[in-house]
C-alpha cells in the first residue's frame, strides 16, 4: 500500500475494499459498475426477480387463488411417480422411465442473436441404478454405451452425436453423474 501511495504521489490511508451484493448497491454506486459484456459503467439495470415458469390462471375468476404455473421441466413426473411406476411395473433397479412432453419457461439463449424459447418439446429418460458405490459407475457407463450404440444401430451418423458429460458442480442435487447425448442439428447442438 505504501509503494502504491508513493507511485501516485498521494498521502492518506487506504481503506479495505468492501464487497456488496449488486442488489444491495445504491443506484449512484450501480452507475459506476462496469457491464461484464462491454466494460462500460452505467449500463446495468438494478437486479430484479426473474421467474422461469409461465404463470396462467385456472378457472373462471382471475385472482391470486387461481394462479397456476405451467411445468418448466418434464422430469418431475418421473420422480413424483417413481414408486407408482416401480410397483405397477414390478420393476427392480436397474430400470428406466422415459417421458415425452411439453415444457414451458421464459428462457433466453444468447448466441448470434437473442432467442427467446417459451415452449419446448422434451424427451427425458431417467435410468435408475443401484446406489452402491462399487456398482453405479459400471452401470452408468453401460447405460451410456448401450444408448450410444443403439443410436448408431438405427443409422445416426457418429459425427452427428456427442456425449455431454456434466461437471460435478453442474449436477442436480440427487445425481452422482449425468451424461446427455447431444445431436448436432444444422442450426446448432
Amino acid at each position: 500500500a505504501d509503494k502504491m501511495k508513493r507511485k501516485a504521489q498521494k498521502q492518506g490511508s487506504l481503506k479495505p475494499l468492501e464487497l456488496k451484493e449488486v442488489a444491495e448497491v445504491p443506484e449512484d454506486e450501480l452507475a459506476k459498475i462496469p457491464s461484464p459484456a462491454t466494460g462500460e459503467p452505467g449500463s446495468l439495470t438494478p437486479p430484479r426477480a426473474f421467474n422461469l415458469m409461465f404463470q396462467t390462471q385456472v378457472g373462471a375468476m382471475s385472482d391470486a387463488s387461481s394462479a397456476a404455473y405451467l411445468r418448466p421441466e418434464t422430469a418431475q413426473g418421473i420422480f413424483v411417480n417413481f414408486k407408482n411406476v416401480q410397483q405397477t411395473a414390478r420393476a427392480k433397479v436397474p430400470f428406466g422411465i422415459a417421458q415425452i412432453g411439453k415444457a414451458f419457461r421464459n428462457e433466453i439463449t444468447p448466441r448470434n442473436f437473442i432467442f427467446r424459447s417459451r415452449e419446448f418439446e422434451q424427451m427425458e429418460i431417467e435410468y435408475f441404478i443401484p446406489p452402491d458405490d462399487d456398482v453405479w459407475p459400471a452401470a452408468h457407463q453401460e447405460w451410456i454405451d448401450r444408448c450410444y450404440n443403439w443410436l448408431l444401430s438405427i443409422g445416426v451418423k457418429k459425427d452427428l452425436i456427442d456425449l455431454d458429460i456434466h461437471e460435478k458442480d453442474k449436477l442436480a442435487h440427487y445425481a452422482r453423474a449425468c451424461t446427455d447425448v447431444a445431436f448436432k442439428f444444422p442450426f446448432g447442438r
Side-chain angles (χ1 to χ4, degrees), residues 111-146:
R111 296 278 191 282
N112 294 335
F113 56 92
I114 293 181
F115 181 69
R116 184 176 289 274
S117 302
R118 296 188 179 203
E119 182 178 325
F120 300 86
E121 188 73 29
Q122 293 182 173
M123 180 190 129
E124 295 187 270
I125 301 172
E126 297 294 337
Y127 188 67
F128 301 95
I129 57 179
D132 306 323
D133 287 336
D134 59 336
V135 176
W136 80 264
H140 181 248
Q141 190 58 51
E142 179 188 352
W143 175 247
I144 293 168
D145 294 342
R146 289 178 76 183

Side-chain angles (χ1 to χ4, degrees), residues 28-42:
D28 60 320
E29 287 184 34
L30 184 64
K32 298 174 187 173
I33 299 174
S35 163
T38 64
E40 296 294 320

Side-chain angles (χ1 to χ4, degrees), residues 26-66:
E27 283 202 39
D28 60 320
E29 287 184 34
L30 184 64
K32 298 174 187 173
I33 299 174
S35 163
T38 64
E40 296 294 320
S43 60
L44 294 180
T45 60
R48 53 190 182 259
F50 186 73
N51 190 347
L52 291 177
M53 295 191 294
F54 264 30
Q55 183 177 355
T56 188
Q57 304 296 320
V58 177
M61 303 301 288
S62 181
D63 59 15
S65 66
S66 66

Side-chain angles (χ1 to χ4, degrees), residues 83-185:
K83 189 169 182 130
N84 185 20
V85 170
Q86 186 183 31
Q87 290 173 342
T88 56
R90 297 182 180 168
K92 291 184 179 175
V93 173
F95 74 94
I97 302 174
Q99 178 174 289
I100 298 175
K102 293 231 181 274
F104 305 86
R105 53 180 183 251
N106 284 314
E107 189 166 286
I108 298 173
T109 309
R111 296 278 191 282
N112 294 335
F113 56 92
I114 293 181
F115 181 69
R116 184 176 289 274
S117 302
R118 296 188 179 203
E119 182 178 325
F120 300 86
E121 188 73 29
Q122 293 182 173
M123 180 190 129
E124 295 187 270
I125 301 172
E126 297 294 337
Y127 188 67
F128 301 95
I129 57 179
D132 306 323
D133 287 336
D134 59 336
V135 176
W136 80 264
H140 181 248
Q141 190 58 51
E142 179 188 352
W143 175 247
I144 293 168
D145 294 342
R146 289 178 76 183
C147 289
Y148 188 81
N149 291 330
W150 179 78
L151 289 168
L152 295 176
S153 76
I154 63 168
V156 178
K157 294 179 183 170
K158 194 174 194 170
D159 60 328
L160 293 179
I161 51 178
D162 271 337
L163 294 178
D164 186 11
I165 300 168
H166 293 226
E167 299 294 325
K168 295 286 183 206
D169 62 333
K170 303 287 183 198
L171 292 175
H173 69 278
Y174 53 80
R176 290 188 179 180
C178 182
T179 303
D180 292 332
V181 178
F183 183 79
K184 296 178 193 168
F185 290 95

